[in-house]
């Protein structure tokens, strides 16, 4: 990484002297900056809305904190990244071109997840990608990209080979894919709806009508476990994604600026680490007032961000001393750009591993909160809540056993994949 | 190091209790006459600026006035005095189980890497990390209480700290195991022990998993060091190499994890105590959550944070004992 970036700087200087700026590239840079600004704007707006609602709620105007940030939170990070990529392109920093691909794919995916009108915003991402592929723009980065992609592909091939060799990781991946498929296709195969109750068939043991039995309200356990996949996966992924985005932003800033900022941020994370996750989440939910899934998610995000801040900060402290950062600074790159386009991509790898591992933890904590009555509203198909409903009848094992197994398998899969990926990424364990 | 953290913790509990949500709700219920509200506000200093309220809050904490707990139907301080020993007893027994089983498991797993023992241990540990503890508790209860009862086997009690109906217990310190030994009441002692088995095993399993994983990886790391190779090439027996040379160095990261896992234990206690109707802090917290008993929730949060911070402080001190290089002045 280090060598590549410093080379880039050198070639950048040559490029500026030899090739005149093509208008296409300028358009690409502007488009990219705009797309990034819009993304970051939407993300920030969502956060501001939450803060505004939070204040209003406490002044006594509104009682509910409207949570629109669940998928929008990460947009702040991706958006800032894209803005800086766009600006780098305008100044013809060739390394920025290939980041266009990843950044736009990521923000496009986030827009698609948000749904609604946001889907149209993917057009901006598409436009940027198309412009990137035009011959005029290509001449700036394609050769370089191919040149440094080749060893990278080799690296990925080797990683995949290592993955294939460890059966546990493969098993974890297969289980996770299974869960995602269930979450997508559950409307087509579940015999009953998520909140459908058959009042005449309560507490039925597993049998032909209800293969996993029914609960005290006549809900079909099999269908509910399947439907719950949607809710629980959504909580796990969105909590980790938002916590990661917030934590990374704060951690990068703390590590990069050092000094007082760093000190304050680290002391704050210390305080957060002084609470066990579930208990702080409990206190936050009780302070928020309403008991529902959105509030659980917010509470868990507040609980989880310090992990990533710590991790990223440590990583940044190592990276910022490296030569490529100094090179970028010496050609006049701004702090924000150095953080976003130079340091951030190099620190993200351990964060991803940690995020995978945390998904299992978040899943279990959220279910635990639901279990003690702090989570989903009664009647929602959610694993923790189902077990909570079943505990009064714990002698009828099916109400507890199946949701628990679903949870266990899901958390296990996340842990397997996370563990495996960590071992594979670990340079100390990696042999060539 | 830990004093700023405690101040931060206090600030957070203060914010959660008094800034978010309406602090008046703690003192007022539907039977409060409306004309009394002004007086209540003045009496509790709710008309003061926030920083003054924070100092009032601190003063009340120090003076031992933690508020009134509706759930426990007593003052919060008294409730803590009643519930705290139960939770600590449970956590310590669970921790003992976890350490006594987890560390040997980790050592065995590391020294027999990639053999069948290792694979089994790793699966046990991984399952422990990914298992929802409340589910595990219910399943244990289903098997060891209900099914054993049906099969006519000696079954474990369903819940509680001792058999209230058949055994009498006069609390002294509220730690049943200690009290029964002091008074020489062996029946009570064994009764309490039997009642402890299921909750402690359940609670200990997660910690056991964490300790085993950490022990295994740190042991593997240490076994690669040069001084181990040297010890082996000197011709020392493998047992001496592992227990005298490797273990002590491998213990350092494990001890850190044990300190951190103590927080996990308290978290787990919240969930296990509800299931085994264990009259401890966790069950109290859950019941106060369901009745929105804010002083209790706050006291619990604060207490847990203090326990957690002091556990980490103790770990720091143990470091010094383990590794003379980092002994504190």
């Amino acid at each position: 990484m280090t060598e590549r970036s410093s080379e880039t700087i050198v070639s950048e200087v040559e490029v500026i002297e030899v090739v005149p700026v093509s208008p296409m590239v300028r358009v690409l840079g502007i488009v990219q900056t705009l797309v990034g600004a819009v993304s970051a704007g939407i993300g920030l707006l969502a956060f501001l809305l939450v803060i505004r609602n939070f204040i209003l709620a406490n002044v006594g105007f509104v009682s509910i904190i409207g949570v629109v940030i669940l998928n929008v939170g990460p947009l702040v990070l991706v958006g800032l990244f894209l803005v800086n990529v766009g600006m780098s392109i305008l100044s013809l920093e060739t390394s920025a071109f290939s980041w266009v691909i990843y950044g736009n794919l990521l923000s496009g995916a986030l827009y698609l997840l948000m749904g609604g009108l946001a889907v149209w915003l993917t057009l901006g991402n598409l436009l940027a990608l198309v412009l990137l592929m035009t011959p005029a723009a290509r001449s700036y980065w394609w050769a370089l990209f191919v040149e440094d992609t080749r060893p990278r592909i080799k690296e990925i091939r080797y990683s995949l080979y290592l993955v294939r060799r460890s059966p546990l990781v493969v098993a974890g991946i297969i289980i996770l894919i299974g869960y995602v498929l269930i979450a997508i296709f559950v409307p087509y195969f579940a015999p009953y709806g998520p909140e459908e109750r058959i009042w005449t068939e309560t507490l039925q043991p597993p049998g032909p009508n209800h293969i996993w039995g029914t609960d005290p309200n006549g809900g079909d356990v099999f269908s509910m476990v399947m439907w719950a996949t949607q809710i629980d996966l959504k909580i796990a992924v969105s909590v980790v994604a938002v916590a990661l985005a917030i934590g990374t932003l704060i951690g990068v800033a703390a590590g990069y600026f050092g000094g007082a900022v760093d000190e304050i941020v680290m002391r704050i994370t210390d305080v957060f680490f002084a609470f066990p996750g579930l208990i702080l989440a409990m206190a936050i939910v009780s302070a928020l007032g309403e008991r529902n899934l959105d509030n659980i998610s917010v509470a868990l995000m507040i609980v989880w961000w310090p992990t990533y801040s710590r991790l990223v900060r440590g990583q940044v402290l190592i990276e910022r001393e490296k030569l490529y950062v100094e090179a970028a600074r010496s050609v006049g790159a701004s702090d924000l750009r150095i953080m976003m386009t130079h340091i951030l991509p190099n620190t993200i790898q351990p964060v991803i591993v940690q995020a995978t591992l945390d998904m299992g933890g978040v899943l279990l904590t959220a279910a635990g909160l639901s279990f003690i009555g702090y989570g989903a509203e009664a009647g929602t198909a959610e694993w923790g809540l189902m077990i909570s409903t079943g505990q009064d009848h714990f002698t009828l094992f099916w109400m507890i056993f199946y949701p628990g197994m679903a949870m266990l398998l899901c958390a296990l899969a996340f842990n397997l994949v996370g563990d495996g990926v960590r071992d594979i990424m670990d340079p100390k364990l990696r042999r060539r | 190091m830990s004093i700023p953290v405690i101040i931060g913790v206090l600030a957070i509990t203060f914010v959660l209790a008094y800034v978010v949500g309406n602090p008046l709700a703690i003192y007022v219920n539907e039977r409060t006459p409306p004309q009394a509200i002004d007086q209540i506000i003045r009496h509790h200093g709710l008309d003061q600026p926030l920083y003054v309220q924070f100092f009032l809050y601190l003063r009340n904490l120090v003076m031992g006035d933690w508020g009134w707990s509706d759930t426990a139907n007593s003052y919060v301080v008294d409730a803590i005095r009643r519930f705290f020993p139960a939770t600590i007893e449970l956590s310590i027994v669970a921790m003992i189980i976890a350490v006594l089983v987890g560390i040997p498991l980790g050592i065995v797993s590391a020294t027999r890497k990639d053999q069948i023992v290792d694979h089994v241990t790793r699966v046990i540990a991984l399952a422990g990390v990914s298992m929802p503890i409340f589910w595990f508790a219910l399943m244990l209860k289903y098997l060891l209480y209900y099914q054993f009862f049906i099969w006519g086997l000696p079954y474990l009690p369903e819940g509680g700290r001792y058999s209230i109906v058949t055994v009498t217990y006069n609390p002294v310190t509220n730690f049943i195991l200690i009290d029964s030994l002091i008074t020489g009441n062996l029946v009570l002692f064994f009764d309490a022990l039997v009642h402890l088995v299921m909750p402690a095993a359940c609670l200990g399993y997660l910690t056991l998993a964490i300790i085993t994983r950490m022990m295994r990886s740190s042991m593997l790391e240490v076994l690669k060091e040069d001084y181990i190779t040297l010890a082996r090439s000197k011709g020392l027996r493998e047992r001496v190499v592992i227990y005298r040379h490797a273990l002590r160095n491998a213990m350092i990261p494990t001890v850190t994890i044990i300190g951190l896992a103590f927080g996990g234990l308290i978290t787990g206690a919240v969930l296990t105590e509800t299931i085994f109707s264990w009259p401890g802090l966790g069950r109290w917290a859950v019941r106060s959550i369901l009745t929105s008993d804010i002083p209790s929730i706050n006291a619990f949060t604060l207490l847990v944070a203090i326990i957690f911070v002091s556990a980490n402080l103790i770990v720091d001190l143990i470091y010094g004992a383990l590794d003379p290089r980092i002994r504190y002045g």
Side-chain angles (χ1 to χ4, degrees):
Chain A
M1 216 47 182
T2 316
E3 290 157 32
R4 196 180 63 87
S5 297
S6 44
E7 270 172 31
T8 312
I9 305 297
V10 174
S11 59
E12 182 195 287
V13 175
E14 286 161 9
V15 166
I16 290 170
E17 284 171 0
V18 180
V19 190
V21 184
S22 108
M24 197 62 93
V25 174
R26 179 153 289 164
V27 173
L28 170 65
I30 293 168
V31 166
Q32 192 59 78
T33 314
L34 282 179
V35 168
V38 169
S39 304
I42 292 175
L44 277 178
L45 203 66
F47 274 112
L48 289 182
L49 264 178
V50 168
I51 293 169
R52 189 202 70 145
N53 285 351
F54 191 72
I55 294 167
L56 284 186
N58 286 305
V59 179
F61 282 112
V62 227
S63 59
I64 309 166
I65 294 174
V67 181
V68 270
I69 56 163
L70 296 191
N71 296 316
V72 188
L75 273 180
V76 181
L77 188 66
V78 178
L80 269 179
F81 178 65
L82 283 181
V83 166
N84 283 289
V85 167
M87 276 154 49
S88 312
I89 287 173
L90 286 180
S91 59
L92 286 173
E93 200 173 304
T94 33
S95 70
F97 285 86
S98 55
W99 292 120
V100 171
I101 304 176
Y102 308 121
N104 279 305
L105 288 181
L106 202 58
S107 87
L110 286 173
Y111 285 140
L112 286 179
L113 278 177
M114 274 166 68
L117 286 176
V119 172
W120 293 102
L121 292 172
T122 46
L123 288 180
N125 300 122
L126 277 181
L127 181 61
L129 287 176
V130 169
L131 284 172
L132 185 71
M133 290 301 165
T134 51
R138 238 184 206 205
S139 63
Y140 288 97
W141 63 283
W142 186 250
L144 196 86
F145 178 70
V146 170
E147 189 188 315
D148 69 35
T149 301
R150 209 167 285 143
R152 208 177 280 177
I153 285 180
K154 216 173 130 196
E155 191 86 353
I156 292 173
R157 277 235 185 91
Y158 182 66
S159 296
L160 284 179
Y161 163 73
L162 287 177
V163 167
R164 270 206 307 276
R165 265 197 12 191
S166 64
L168 287 179
V169 183
V170 176
I173 291 173
I174 289 174
I175 297 174
L176 282 186
I177 291 175
Y179 272 96
V180 172
L181 289 181
I182 288 176
I184 294 171
F185 292 109
V186 64
Y188 304 105
F189 71 83
Y192 300 94
E195 292 177 13
E196 200 175 333
R197 303 286 184 269
I198 303 115
W199 297 104
T200 48
E201 299 178 13
T202 56
L203 298 172
Q204 299 277 314
N209 278 347
H210 304 281
I211 54 171
W212 287 356
T214 59
D215 71 2
N217 305 322
D220 181 61
V221 173
F222 174 76
S223 311
M224 283 172 75
V225 168
M226 294 298 151
W227 280 102
T229 315
Q230 287 186 339
I231 289 177
D232 284 76
L233 279 188
K234 199 183 130 202
I235 291 182
V237 172
S238 57
V239 165
V240 170
V242 175
L244 192 148
I246 303 172
T248 308
L249 271 181
I250 295 176
V252 168
Y256 183 77
F257 292 115
V261 181
D262 187 27
E263 192 63 26
I264 291 169
V265 170
M266 284 306 114
R267 289 296 79 78
I268 292 174
T269 59
D270 274 346
V271 173
F272 275 87
F273 280 123
F275 296 96
L278 182 92
I279 284 152
L280 183 56
M282 261 165 55
I284 295 172
V285 180
S286 77
L288 293 179
E290 295 258 327
R291 289 175 204 155
N292 55 36
L293 287 172
D294 288 342
N295 278 352
I296 287 200
S297 306
V298 171
L300 289 175
M301 287 164 196
I302 298 175
V303 170
W304 243 274
W305 71 266
T307 323
Y308 301 105
S309 289
R310 272 276 172 94
L311 196 62
V312 169
R313 174 210 175 238
Q315 221 50 33
V316 171
L317 283 185
I318 302 170
E319 292 294 327
R320 74 168 183 188
E321 303 300 330
K322 289 196 176 162
L323 198 61
Y324 68 86
V325 175
E326 200 161 319
R329 197 176 292 133
S330 64
V331 294
S334 68
D335 284 339
L336 191 61
R337 188 191 297 177
I338 293 176
M339 278 192 275
M340 283 293 153
T341 51
H342 295 270
I343 295 182
L344 187 65
N346 287 323
T347 56
I348 213 75
Q349 208 176 47
V351 180
I352 299 291
V353 173
Q354 182 65 36
T356 323
L357 285 170
D358 277 352
M359 294 218 187
V362 169
L363 188 83
L364 295 183
T365 312
L369 279 173
S370 283
F371 175 77
I372 55 177
Y374 240 166
E377 299 91 334
T380 317
E382 202 274 341
W383 293 327
L385 192 66
M386 290 177 71
I387 295 181
S388 172
T389 320
Q391 66 168 327
D392 296 333
H393 304 267
F394 75 93
T395 51
L396 311 176
F397 72 96
W398 57 87
M399 280 177 283
I400 301 162
F401 180 74
Y402 294 111
M405 278 310 277
M407 225 184 303
L408 171 62
L409 264 184
C410 192
L412 189 68
F414 278 125
N415 278 330
L416 283 175
V417 174
D419 263 3
V421 171
R422 178 172 53 191
D423 287 352
I424 287 163
M425 296 285 181
D426 189 353
K428 266 195 282 182
L429 300 174
R430 209 183 165 110
R431 302 175 301 262
R432 309 241 55 182
Chain B
M1 168 63 207
S2 50
I3 287 170
V5 172
I6 290 285
I7 293 174
V9 164
L10 287 169
I12 285 192
T13 44
F14 171 74
V15 166
L16 287 178
Y18 291 81
V19 182
V20 184
N22 193 346
L24 194 58
I26 300 172
Y27 307 108
V28 177
N29 60 21
E30 65 277 2
R31 286 190 301 277
T32 314
Q35 55 271 31
I37 289 180
D38 269 346
Q39 202 203 333
I40 293 174
I41 290 180
R42 239 174 298 118
H43 181 256
H44 293 287
L46 295 179
D47 51 351
Q48 306 285 331
L50 268 185
Y51 62 90
V52 178
Q53 286 193 42
F54 184 58
F55 280 110
L56 286 176
Y57 171 72
L58 288 186
R59 193 196 65 190
N60 286 345
L61 283 184
V62 175
M63 304 282 277
D65 175 13
W66 289 37
W68 172 265
S69 164
D70 275 338
T71 324
N73 206 8
S74 67
Y75 286 104
V76 169
V77 181
D78 294 334
I80 290 174
R81 210 168 287 148
R82 204 144 29 98
F83 297 136
F84 185 71
T87 299
I88 289 296
E89 197 171 69
L90 179 61
S91 313
I92 288 180
V93 173
M95 185 55 98
I96 291 173
I97 294 178
V99 169
L100 285 188
V101 182
I103 288 181
L105 264 189
I107 297 173
V108 167
S109 180
T111 49
R112 293 176 181 63
K113 188 170 181 283
D114 288 332
Q115 292 174 20
I116 192 86
V117 189
D118 182 32
H119 290 306
V120 173
T121 311
R122 282 171 69 186
V123 169
I124 291 175
L126 207 56
V129 181
S130 1
M131 180 135 20
I133 187 166
F134 49 100
W135 176 76
F136 183 55
L138 282 167
M139 283 287 124
L140 267 189
K141 196 161 128 177
Y142 174 72
L143 181 71
L144 298 181
Y145 168 66
Y146 178 67
Q147 282 297 347
F148 271 37
F149 178 71
I150 286 183
W151 295 335
L153 293 171
Y155 59 92
L156 288 171
E158 181 195 13
R161 291 180 79 187
Y162 63 100
S163 317
I164 302 178
V165 183
T166 51
V167 187
T168 50
Y169 167 52
N170 303 314
V172 184
T173 57
N174 271 322
F175 288 93
I176 291 195
L177 290 182
I178 297 177
D179 284 0
S180 59
L181 283 182
I182 292 173
T183 53
N185 188 349
L186 282 184
V187 177
L188 177 62
F189 183 75
F190 285 111
D191 189 53
L193 215 53
V194 168
H195 277 82
L196 258 172
V197 172
M198 246 198 303
C202 173
L203 196 50
Y205 185 32
L206 172 72
T207 321
L208 182 151
I210 297 171
I211 292 177
T212 309
R213 277 159 72 102
M214 198 66 217
M215 193 68 213
R216 177 178 182 273
S217 61
S218 66
M219 195 75 182
L220 283 178
E221 198 91 337
V222 168
L223 285 179
K224 270 187 263 171
E225 297 283 339
D226 287 342
Y227 56 83
I228 297 294
T229 321
L230 173 73
R232 280 185 179 143
S233 60
K234 274 202 303 195
L236 287 180
R237 271 167 301 148
E238 191 64 19
R239 210 157 52 91
V240 178
V241 174
I242 286 167
Y243 289 98
R244 290 279 293 283
H245 294 244
L247 182 59
R248 202 163 166 162
N249 289 295
M251 276 307 282
I252 293 172
T254 314
V255 167
T256 322
I257 281 291
I258 292 176
L260 290 173
F262 209 79
L265 269 184
I266 304 280
T267 311
V270 173
L271 299 168
T272 358
E273 283 178 5
T274 4
I275 291 164
F276 293 110
S277 26
W278 191 264
L281 288 176
R283 200 169 70 123
W284 174 49
V286 169
R287 275 166 50 215
S288 39
I289 283 165
L290 297 177
T291 54
S292 297
D293 176 6
I294 294 174
S296 311
I297 301 171
N298 275 314
F300 174 70
T301 316
L302 185 60
L303 196 64
V304 168
I306 292 173
I307 295 174
F308 200 25
V309 171
S310 26
N312 285 327
L313 197 68
I314 293 171
V315 164
D316 280 350
L317 296 178
I318 294 178
Y319 271 167
L322 271 178
D323 188 350
R325 283 169 300 181
I326 43 180
R327 198 161 283 168
Y328 294 99

